[in-house]
Amino acid sequence: MDQVAEAAGVSRATVSRVINGAPSVDSKIREMVQRAIAETGYVPNVAARSLVTRRSNSVALVISEPDRPDNHSFLNRIFTDPYFGRITAGATSALRPHDIHLVVIPTDSTDHHQVVRYLRQGHVDGVLLISSHEQDTLPRQVHDLGIPAVVSARPTSPIAVSYVDVDQRLGARLAAEHLLNRGCRALATISGPLDIPSGLDRLDGYRSFLATRGFPTVPSIEGDFTRAGGEAAARQLLTDFPDIDGLFVANDLMAEGALRVFQDLGRRVPDDIAVVGFDDSSAALDCRPLLTTVRQPVEEMAAEMAEVLMAHIATPGRLPRSVTFQPSLVIRDSA
Amino acid sequence: MDQVAEAAGVSRATVSRVINGAPSVDSKIREMVQRAIAETGYVPNVAARSLVTRRSNSVALVISEPDRPDNHSFLNRIFTDPYFGRITAGATSALRPHDIHLVVIPTDSTDHHQVVRYLRQGHVDGVLLISSHEQDTLPRQVHDLGIPAVVSARPTSPIAVSYVDVDQRLGARLAAEHLLNRGCRALATISGPLDIPSGLDRLDGYRSFLATRGFPTVPSIEGDFTRAGGEAAARQLLTDFPDIDGLFVANDLMAEGALRVFQDLGRRVPDDIAVVGFDDSSAALDCRPLLTTVRQPVEEMAAEMAEVLMAHIATPGRLPRSVTFQPSLVIRDSA
DNA sequence: AGCGCCGTTGAGAGCGCTCTCTCCCCGTGG
DNA sequence: CCACGGGGAGAGAGCGCTCTCAACGGCGCT
């Protein structure tokens, strides 16, 4: 920087002004400085800048999932799950125009302290926290750190933190309505894990809506949001309730598994059983028949999370606020 | 830090020694300092540290893919592709024990300068560069920057840079041998994009091996490594060469698409057509029948990239070296 | 002509850490 | 008993940047 200053015949302060686009710089001088920068190939040192501005221009995307016995498969599952992929994509696209970079940090409950340490060290200006499990303590810990944060779903305990969510119950209702409209009368569901709010909300939204339409008891099998889990649940369901004709599956991955089982067992979809998924992930298009599903705009939600986070970073005292997206039904071939 | 020093009754220098694990500290003093750190809740400021050590303890994972007209789908495709997910997982697992974090940077050729600027600014200590397209100029640019880097495949132009790759031709040969051993005699292939070395190498490895076994001409359709591309290619293939009985598909995603087409068209796999994929990604298990495929240990390769990168970072003058992994055949139900 | 103001620039003090260099004190050997 | 050596702690100089504050010069005004 001294070199640039000398080359341009000005002081360091002026070089700094030019670099940071300060308005009160004579245009001639600005030009000289810019030429000097180009000639010397000068690039600001971010560490020095961060030291004084206390900004790192990067945010963490923390993906918190419960323990897995085998760490290898844990990382694999996370980075291979299209849901997290969509989140990453959405956050990246919102952050990029602001020249803010994403540090991706997967974590299970065994290394929360590492994550907390990382955050405290000031590596990042804020956190996008993807945490779904009810008993996850990370949201609270992050909140207590006092660092700007946005979480991906309504926190289970009342924490004053901004979050972005989709109207889960409405989504489930959309699915129920559609199955009803098709004429299905023997309804069931494969739910998500019931220790996850979204799993619970989708199940509850489905059942409570159907209750108002004269279906007081709707059978449900709990799944785990994986394809294999969907297969197992579908088999179970068919064993316990062979006569069902309408099924809501709490995410697309499980629905894909279920579809496969139905095919293997010779049930025609949607004629014998109509199936509605949830997410509208790429998996919905990888199924046969193409999956009718409740669309959750994950990319847009992640982008919104990023926007809200940037607002929090820009104005520290800002009050937390929550944004809820509306799901919509995407009708394809399975229902 | 001053506070800690005062609380422990020592100088800042000693606190620094304790934090960085310098050996020459009296154990009693060390203990006092550690207590003081715990009491004050002190956390080192990483920016200040980076400023003097010139280390950021993070590396960039740059994923360079060619232009896409629509940026949104570009990000989506990258973050949803299991191949990149496995890379991220592998790199993360190797980096984590060293407390090095990953900044994920997708890029198309339109914003290479942004990436270069980011790297020059010293945000990261090194780069893991995922770049497959032949005409991609980023590897060269990164190399010219002089920043430690490891690329994911043998560079097309001779650049003195470390890389990690799998023996593509051997993988293709494994597939060919297996098909031959099954008794297939009407062989074909759906290749990857031919402007990608791995696409080319797999095609060429397949053909040149088969040539030595008395199959001078083997039909091939060029695919694009996507599921939909695989479907289209498979349709085309069946139209052009209705009698084929053995097919090598250059990646699992396309194989999954092809399998679907064969099912729709009533071709039994493997009885009518045996199919071998490439990658052994999760997609191989999502197919029916389960996909026989050439396993590419992507996670291990990414981990190795990270190890090599860390070695380069640790010893700046280190000569570039390349590591080649052996593929292996995973026999399941499709061939 | 003198005064004061505003628009620009420069000087310099940090930001919080590491690391070299110096110093001190103790143990050892002559 | 003194000289010497070495382990261990402290002092202080930066690392490269931003930003406040002061200074300066030109302008319009009285």
Side-chain angles (χ1 to χ4, degrees):
Chain A
M1 190 164 184
D2 276 315
Q3 282 180 35
V4 175
E6 193 174 354
V10 298
S11 70
R12 277 196 344 274
T14 301
V15 176
S16 176
R17 287 191 186 96
V18 171
I19 289 171
N20 296 303
S24 67
V25 178
D26 188 278
S27 62
K28 255 197 313 225
I29 292 198
R30 178 187 308 278
E31 212 170 291
M32 289 182 54
V33 172
Q34 272 158 348
R35 199 172 320 132
I37 290 176
E39 279 169 12
T40 54
Y42 166 77
V43 176
N45 177 313
V46 286
R49 179 179 289 173
S50 296
L51 182 56
V52 30
T53 59
R54 297 166 170 275
R55 281 288 177 73
S56 66
N57 284 320
S58 54
V59 304
L61 175 63
V62 175
I63 300 177
S64 175
E65 284 281 294
D67 279 354
R68 289 284 146 162
D70 167 6
N71 185 49
H72 194 276
S73 80
F74 164 74
L75 288 174
N76 223 308
R77 186 173 53 87
I78 285 187
F79 286 117
T80 298
D81 188 324
Y83 177 72
F84 295 119
R86 289 172 74 190
I87 295 221
T88 313
T92 302
S93 72
L95 255 18
R96 165 153 315 191
H98 300 265
D99 224 41
I100 293 179
H101 288 263
L102 245 204
V103 182
V104 179
I105 306 180
T107 173
D108 57 28
S109 58
T110 61
D111 61 358
H112 279 176
H113 61 285
Q114 278 191 39
V115 174
V116 168
R117 186 165 52 89
Y118 182 79
L119 298 178
R120 292 191 61 196
Q121 288 190 123
H123 276 108
V124 293
D125 299 332
V127 191
L128 299 171
L129 179 54
I130 313 299
S131 162
S132 51
H133 276 257
E134 192 145 30
Q135 63 275 37
D136 190 353
T137 58
L138 199 52
R140 161 130 274 136
Q141 290 183 64
V142 169
H143 172 259
D144 291 346
L145 277 180
I147 159 175
V150 179
V151 302
S152 64
R154 183 167 44 77
T156 47
S157 60
I159 307 178
V161 67
S162 289
Y163 66 86
V164 172
D165 207 344
V166 70
D167 190 334
Q168 310 278 2
R169 302 176 61 92
L170 175 58
R173 173 189 165 146
L174 255 28
E177 266 180 331
H178 182 68
L179 291 171
L180 246 30
N181 289 345
R182 280 194 117 258
C184 300
R185 286 300 174 267
L187 297 169
T189 180
I190 295 175
S191 78
L194 297 181
D195 60 338
I196 298 186
S198 64
L200 210 52
D201 288 348
R202 288 174 201 172
L203 172 59
D204 197 53
Y206 186 67
R207 277 186 167 154
S208 57
F209 173 74
L210 287 176
T212 67
R213 295 301 203 83
F215 297 84
T217 59
V218 173
S220 141
I221 306 275
E222 181 175 350
D224 64 356
F225 281 156
T226 70
R227 224 167 322 224
E231 294 189 19
R235 286 218 162 70
Q236 183 68 40
L237 197 69
L238 249 33
T239 307
D240 298 352
F241 310 96
D243 300 327
I244 58 166
D245 62 2
L247 176 65
F248 168 50
V249 187
N251 79 336
D252 288 351
L253 244 36
M254 291 197 297
E256 194 178 349
L259 248 32
R260 195 131 58 199
V261 168
F262 296 155
Q263 182 178 42
D264 289 352
L265 268 44
R267 307 275 183 133
R268 290 169 307 156
V269 175
D271 300 331
D272 299 338
I273 304 182
V275 177
V276 178
F278 199 109
D279 271 352
D280 194 27
S281 74
S282 58
L285 296 170
D286 297 334
C287 303
R288 285 307 121 87
L290 295 175
L291 189 66
T292 291
T293 189
V294 176
R295 174 169 181 75
Q296 180 183 191
V298 177
E299 290 87 351
E300 288 78 0
M301 289 166 68
E304 180 66 25
M305 286 181 70
E307 299 286 355
V308 172
L309 181 61
M310 288 188 289
H312 275 296
I313 291 170
T315 56
R318 198 164 182 273
L319 289 175
R321 57 198 65 185
S322 63
V323 179
T324 303
F325 280 73
Q326 301 302 309
S328 58
L329 190 69
V330 179
I331 300 175
R332 298 206 180 86
D333 305 334
S334 71
Chain B
M1 189 162 186
D2 277 314
Q3 282 180 35
V4 175
E6 194 174 353
V10 298
S11 69
R12 278 198 340 275
T14 302
V15 176
S16 175
R17 285 190 188 97
V18 171
I19 290 171
N20 296 303
S24 67
V25 179
D26 188 277
S27 62
K28 256 197 314 227
I29 293 198
R30 177 188 308 278
E31 212 170 290
M32 290 182 53
V33 171
Q34 271 159 350
R35 198 171 322 130
I37 290 176
E39 279 169 10
T40 54
Y42 166 77
V43 176
N45 177 311
V46 287
R49 177 179 289 174
S50 294
L51 182 55
V52 31
T53 61
R54 306 180 153 267
R55 280 288 177 74
S56 66
N57 284 319
S58 54
V59 304
L61 175 64
V62 175
I63 301 177
S64 175
E65 284 282 294
D67 279 354
R68 290 284 146 161
D70 166 6
N71 185 48
H72 194 275
S73 80
F74 164 73
L75 288 174
N76 224 307
R77 185 173 55 86
I78 283 187
F79 287 115
T80 298
D81 187 324
Y83 176 72
F84 295 119
R86 290 172 73 190
I87 294 219
T88 313
T92 302
S93 71
L95 256 18
R96 164 153 318 189
H98 300 266
D99 225 43
I100 293 180
H101 288 264
L102 245 204
V103 182
V104 179
I105 306 179
T107 173
D108 57 28
S109 57
T110 60
D111 60 359
H112 279 177
H113 62 286
Q114 277 191 39
V115 174
V116 168
R117 187 164 51 88
Y118 181 80
L119 298 178
R120 291 191 62 195
Q121 289 189 123
H123 275 107
V124 293
D125 299 332
V127 192
L128 299 171
L129 179 53
I130 314 299
S131 162
S132 51
H133 276 257
E134 193 146 31
Q135 63 277 34
D136 190 352
T137 59
L138 198 53
R140 162 130 273 137
Q141 289 182 64
V142 168
H143 172 260
D144 291 346
L145 277 180
I147 162 174
V150 179
V151 302
S152 64
R154 183 167 43 77
T156 47
S157 60
I159 307 179
V161 67
S162 289
Y163 66 86
V164 172
D165 206 345
V166 69
D167 190 334
Q168 309 279 1
R169 301 175 62 92
L170 175 58
R173 174 187 164 148
L174 254 29
E177 266 180 331
H178 182 68
L179 290 172
L180 246 29
N181 289 344
R182 282 194 115 259
C184 300
R185 288 300 174 266
L187 298 170
T189 180
I190 295 176
S191 79
L194 297 182
D195 59 338
I196 298 186
S198 65
L200 209 52
D201 289 348
R202 289 174 202 171
L203 172 59
D204 197 52
Y206 186 68
R207 277 187 167 155
S208 56
F209 173 74
L210 287 176
T212 68
R213 294 302 204 82
F215 297 84
T217 59
V218 173
S220 143
I221 306 273
E222 181 174 351
D224 64 356
F225 282 155
T226 70
R227 227 168 317 226
E231 294 189 20
R235 284 217 164 71
Q236 182 69 38
L237 197 68
L238 248 35
T239 308
D240 297 353
F241 310 95
D243 300 327
I244 60 166
D245 62 2
L247 176 65
F248 168 50
V249 187
N251 80 335
D252 288 351
L253 245 36
M254 290 197 297
E256 194 178 349
L259 248 33
R260 194 131 60 201
V261 169
F262 296 155
Q263 182 178 43
D264 289 352
L265 268 45
R267 306 275 183 133
R268 290 169 306 156
V269 175
D271 300 331
D272 298 340
I273 304 182
V275 177
V276 178
F278 199 108
D279 271 353
D280 194 26
S281 74
S282 58
L285 297 170
D286 296 334
C287 303
R288 285 307 122 86
L290 295 175
L291 189 66
T292 291
T293 188
V294 176
R295 174 166 180 77
Q296 180 183 193
V298 177
E299 291 87 351
E300 287 79 2
M301 289 166 67
E304 180 65 26
M305 285 180 72
E307 299 287 356
V308 172
L309 182 60
M310 288 187 289
H312 275 296
I313 292 170
T315 55
R318 198 166 182 272
L319 291 176
R321 58 198 65 184
S322 63
V323 179
T324 303
F325 279 74
Q326 300 302 309
S328 59
L329 191 69
V330 179
I331 300 175
R332 298 205 180 85
D333 305 334
S334 71

